[in-house]
Amino acid sequence: MANIAGYNRKLTALMRKHGLVEEAALVAMGDKAAKEGLLLASLLITEALIDESTLIGLVSEDSGHPPIDLDKLKIELDDIRNINQGADIITEEQSKFYGVVPIAMVGDHLTLAVANPYDVIMVDNLKITVGKVIMAVVSTERAINKARELAYHAQEKAMESLMETMGSDGDEITVTEKPKEDDEGDLSAAEGDESPAVKLVRTIIAQAIQQGASDIHIEPFEKRVRVRFRKDGVLHEMFNPPKRLEKAMVSRIKIMTDTMNIAERGKPQDGRIQVKMAGNAIDIRVNSLPTVHGEKVCMRILNKSNLAGSLETLNFEPAVLDIVRRSIGAPYGMLLVTGPTGSGKSTTLYSCLRAVMTVEDNVNTVEDPVEYEIEGLNQCHVNPKRGLTFGAALRALLRQDPDTIMIGEIRDQETIEIAVKAALTGHLVLSTLHTNDAPSTIARIVDMGIEPFLAASTVLAIVAQRLGRRLCKNCKAPMPKEEMPSREQLLESGYKPEEIEGLALLKPIGCSLCAGGYKGRFALVECMEMTDDLRKAIIGGASTIDLRKAAIKCGMITLRRAGLMNAMRGVTSLEEVMRHTMGEEVGKEDAPVLKKAAGEGEDAAAEVELPKETAEAGT
């Protein structure tokens, strides 16, 4: 802290003026403060020569700055960071150097707690540094140091508190660990059930499972570590563990897996953790990736209790459900489920498998990796390092007298060729592909080397899906008339004229039970069933656009249409529907609808430029 000597002289004169401290004691404390470079106020309080609140009152009255009791105040630096574009208005190093701590900021006025209100040079320097009007309030060195620690390390303190209380009133997790003899390295920071790293990792996993997260991201940066949970498809920052525990945390996670090597930090690794919590068996897929400031770890949580038990629990549209039932009831052919990562493809496939599983049928899967282990299924885990590729596993599986085959993902020409041959030779094949919608899947299959006539004759149906966020039942509210899109905008988005009359849409609000007005997810599904007209179009070499038009003419419900129907029912918001379908079915003229639904201005909407498609594609 700057200008300590000047502050001590001021305080000495103030003590003599009011006669609160005996002269001998005041002189002794003054000599000690000068010799050790300390604040006289701190010594007087430490030696119990004066009460802290009394001292703050005297300095406040003398300096003309208001007093403050920091022990009764919780400083929220995140509020200041939000105003300051995410950055600290005063860094922790500056706070220590000047002996201050920021309390609040309103407009251009920054309130600072200071221990030395007489140091006008310090205040002027800070005013120039931060570019704000400084409003100083008086506190003490002890209170400021304590407040600084709590304010700048709030996430760490919260994490430590959570680690201390973990297990006292929550569910414990049991980890099934497999010893690895080939691991080397320094484990001193990660050994023992009560070490900080062990408790921290256990706490993070338990919290993620309790909150229904699908993924855990542990991300190292230069001076901090960030832990984020993916809940309902959106990442939320949860913790900032101490940076010193970063390597120990990663080592602990690797020890918990079945294959990862803690001595290897320079290349990506994959592993698996099996845990039990509240009686539920939970698998966690782990991947580590070397980054600039350490290893980033991503853990995908596969909770069997969240796996749909039957097709009815998927809440598909009745027409879509009928198509899926007809497809899995066929003696042979292919049912394909498409969509991006995390769109619920595996859940749909496993629900289909449950529907066809009987004692009379031989049901087999080939997966990389096996996501959910289900009793009654013969599941094969692909291992390319040992030569067990999708192609090799499928060739062997066809000699196992199968009735139904589920392929985790069709990635290459060899796999699609074997799958098509299996579908042609009397087997029901279920699999996934990465395409944006149902009609484009045919083009993808043909592009992988399958003749159009084979694709037309083997594919039974194609299901394209996304996972949309549900509106929170506790806080969702009707959209005010002034925020509702116009009739023209609703027509452009895909609503029919008869649906617009009296249309009432809901909007997210946000409460303590949800995240931004949303809680839980539902399936947006587009299902294209093969008909004679579609088969003729495919064999005739129809483009994806022509195939989409033909499928809509045959009654296909598009992703956009499925979303709009759910918005009408109050399941989700129009904004959420647009977020998932704007890439495929929204033209440039629909951009204002997106912004209106989001509650933004039309100026911002004018900046969005999207490829224009036919209005028919959105109905």
Side-chain angles (χ1 to χ4, degrees):
M1 183 186 296
N3 199 17
I4 293 177
Y7 175 76
N8 288 345
R9 285 195 299 271
K10 282 272 190 181
L11 189 61
T12 300
L14 192 61
M15 292 297 104
R16 284 175 177 153
K17 176 182 177 181
H18 291 277
L20 295 175
V21 181
E22 293 183 1
E23 183 64 23
L26 186 61
V27 171
M29 291 296 102
D31 292 342
K32 183 177 181 181
K35 184 177 180 180
E36 299 181 11
L38 302 175
L39 283 179
L40 177 59
S42 299
L43 288 178
L44 294 177
I45 294 171
T46 302
E47 296 296 328
L49 295 175
I50 190 172
D51 181 72
E52 185 174 32
S53 59
T54 302
L55 187 140
I56 292 175
L58 287 172
V59 174
S60 170
E61 182 181 6
D62 185 67
S63 64
H65 295 288
I68 191 169
D69 187 352
L70 291 179
D71 291 336
K72 296 180 180 179
L73 179 68
K74 183 179 180 182
I75 300 174
E76 298 287 355
L77 284 187
D78 285 341
D79 293 342
I80 301 178
R81 292 182 182 122
N82 291 337
I83 300 173
N84 197 44
Q85 300 179 344
D88 282 320
I89 189 72
I90 292 178
T91 66
E92 185 177 7
E93 290 74 18
Q94 289 173 324
S95 172
K96 289 179 179 178
F97 177 78
Y98 290 111
V100 302
V101 66
I103 295 176
M105 186 166 71
V106 179
D108 288 334
H109 291 72
L110 175 66
T111 303
L112 284 180
V114 301
N116 182 4
Y118 302 109
D119 193 347
V120 293
I121 296 177
M122 174 267 292
V123 175
D124 288 341
N125 286 341
L126 279 174
K127 191 180 298 183
I128 295 171
T129 301
V130 303
K132 303 291 180 182
V133 177
I134 301 297
M135 300 181 65
V137 292
V138 179
S139 185
T140 62
E141 185 179 36
R142 178 208 63 82
I144 288 175
N145 290 341
K146 180 182 177 182
R148 180 190 303 117
E149 184 68 19
L150 292 174
Y152 285 95
H153 302 277
Q155 288 278 8
E156 293 183 21
K157 297 296 181 182
M159 175 61 74
E160 291 173 4
S161 176
L162 189 61
M163 289 164 55
E164 291 175 2
T165 59
M166 187 63 197
S168 60
D169 55 359
D171 293 320
E172 284 284 358
I173 63 171
T174 303
V175 183
T176 304
E177 298 181 24
K178 298 182 180 180
K180 302 184 285 298
E181 297 178 357
D182 57 341
D183 282 343
E184 298 177 359
D186 182 13
L187 301 180
S188 59
E191 292 178 343
D193 287 342
E194 297 305 318
S195 69
V198 172
K199 291 165 62 178
L200 183 54
V201 170
R202 186 170 66 237
T203 299
I204 290 172
I205 294 176
Q207 288 289 307
I209 295 172
Q210 288 173 352
Q211 297 182 28
S214 61
D215 299 86
I216 302 170
H217 292 258
I218 301 176
E219 303 163 313
F221 298 101
E222 183 178 3
K223 296 182 180 180
R224 69 186 184 107
V225 179
R226 180 174 68 183
V227 176
R228 294 191 291 174
F229 293 170
R230 187 178 293 278
K231 297 186 288 186
D232 294 335
V234 179
L235 284 170
H236 300 270
E237 184 169 344
M238 305 303 296
F239 310 114
N240 287 116
K243 178 68 175 176
R244 66 181 183 276
L245 293 181
E246 174 205 330
K247 291 183 179 179
M249 287 170 59
V250 175
S251 295
R252 174 59 184 169
I253 292 169
K254 289 181 178 180
I255 289 173
M256 294 166 68
T257 67
D258 53 357
T259 56
M260 299 176 77
N261 184 350
I262 65 171
E264 179 57 69
R265 296 189 177 95
K267 66 179 182 180
Q269 296 187 66
D270 292 288
R272 197 181 193 98
I273 300 173
Q274 294 180 334
V275 303
K276 283 188 177 181
M277 184 171 179
N280 294 325
I282 299 165
D283 286 343
I284 301 175
R285 285 191 349 221
V286 183
N287 176 266
S288 66
L289 177 69
T291 63
V292 176
H293 299 294
E295 288 184 274
K296 179 185 183 299
V297 176
C298 178
M299 296 186 280
R300 168 151 289 190
I301 300 172
L302 305 171
N303 192 341
K304 291 183 181 179
S305 64
N306 294 335
L307 189 61
S310 64
L311 289 171
E312 286 78 8
T313 59
L314 296 176
N315 295 320
F316 285 177
E317 297 292 334
V320 172
L321 187 58
D322 289 341
I323 295 173
V324 173
R325 286 194 177 280
R326 284 197 295 271
S327 300
I328 62 177
Y332 56 86
M334 291 179 63
L335 172 65
L336 297 174
V337 182
T338 76
T341 301
S343 61
K345 300 188 298 295
S346 297
T347 299
T348 299
L349 282 184
Y350 279 115
S351 297
C352 291
L353 288 177
R354 287 183 184 274
V356 300
M357 279 173 53
T358 63
V359 178
E360 293 81 13
D361 287 334
N362 179 16
V363 183
N364 303 266
T365 74
V366 180
E367 305 171 69
D368 182 23
V370 173
E371 292 194 10
Y372 299 96
E373 295 180 10
I374 298 178
E375 184 71 24
L377 291 182
N378 301 298
Q379 297 173 276
C380 175
H381 190 144
V382 169
N383 190 345
K385 292 181 180 179
R386 297 186 177 181
L388 186 58
T389 62
F390 271 107
L394 284 172
R395 280 192 294 269
L397 189 58
L398 290 175
R399 296 190 291 271
Q400 290 279 324
D401 185 32
D403 294 298
T404 302
I405 301 171
M406 192 270 269
I407 305 171
E409 182 184 347
I410 294 177
R411 300 176 179 173
D412 50 42
Q413 184 175 358
E414 181 186 22
T415 304
I416 187 67
E417 287 178 351
I418 298 174
V420 168
K421 289 178 182 177
L424 286 172
T425 54
H427 304 91
L428 178 63
V429 178
L430 312 178
S431 188
T432 69
L433 270 174
H434 283 284
T435 57
N436 291 327
D437 56 17
S440 63
T441 305
I442 297 298
R444 173 66 174 149
I445 293 174
V446 173
D447 184 58
M448 294 174 77
I450 301 302
E451 294 292 336
F453 75 91
L454 286 176
S457 60
T458 56
V459 175
L460 299 169
I462 301 171
V463 176
Q465 71 180 57
R466 305 286 191 275
L467 289 181
R469 293 180 294 171
R470 289 181 179 272
L471 285 170
C472 174
K473 295 180 181 179
N474 183 60
C475 65
K476 62 182 179 181
M479 182 181 291
K481 288 184 178 180
E482 59 271 16
E483 294 183 18
M484 281 284 290
S486 67
R487 177 183 176 85
E488 291 73 22
Q489 291 170 335
L490 290 172
L491 286 172
E492 289 172 356
S493 69
Y495 279 112
K496 299 177 182 179
E498 61 270 21
E499 294 171 341
I500 296 176
E501 300 302 327
L503 179 64
L505 299 175
L506 301 182
K507 61 179 291 187
I509 300 298
C511 65
S512 59
L513 301 179
C514 65
Y518 297 96
K519 186 175 183 180
R521 291 192 286 179
F522 71 101
L524 282 168
V525 180
E526 172 181 280
C527 187
M528 186 176 79
E529 184 179 24
M530 280 298 161
T531 63
D532 290 341
D533 290 340
L534 289 178
R535 289 190 173 96
K536 289 178 183 178
I538 293 171
I539 294 172
S543 67
T544 297
I545 295 176
D546 292 335
L547 196 58
R548 167 173 282 276
K549 292 180 180 179
I552 292 173
K553 190 175 180 180
C554 292
M556 181 182 78
I557 299 174
T558 65
L559 283 169
R560 166 65 65 80
R561 184 64 188 161
L564 294 177
M565 292 166 67
N566 278 283
M568 283 191 294
R569 297 180 189 130
V571 175
T572 190
S573 66
L574 185 58
E575 175 189 4
E576 181 70 3
V577 173
M578 297 301 182
R579 187 172 73 91
H580 284 285
T581 61
M582 63 182 292
E584 295 111 11
E585 302 176 33
V586 182
K588 181 179 178 180
E589 67 277 7
D590 294 322
V593 182
L594 307 184
K595 297 301 180 181
K596 281 286 186 179
E600 299 179 19
E602 293 187 6
D603 291 340
E607 299 177 4
V608 181
E609 293 190 9
L610 301 170
K612 186 175 182 180
E613 292 184 15
T614 61
E616 186 181 3
T619 59

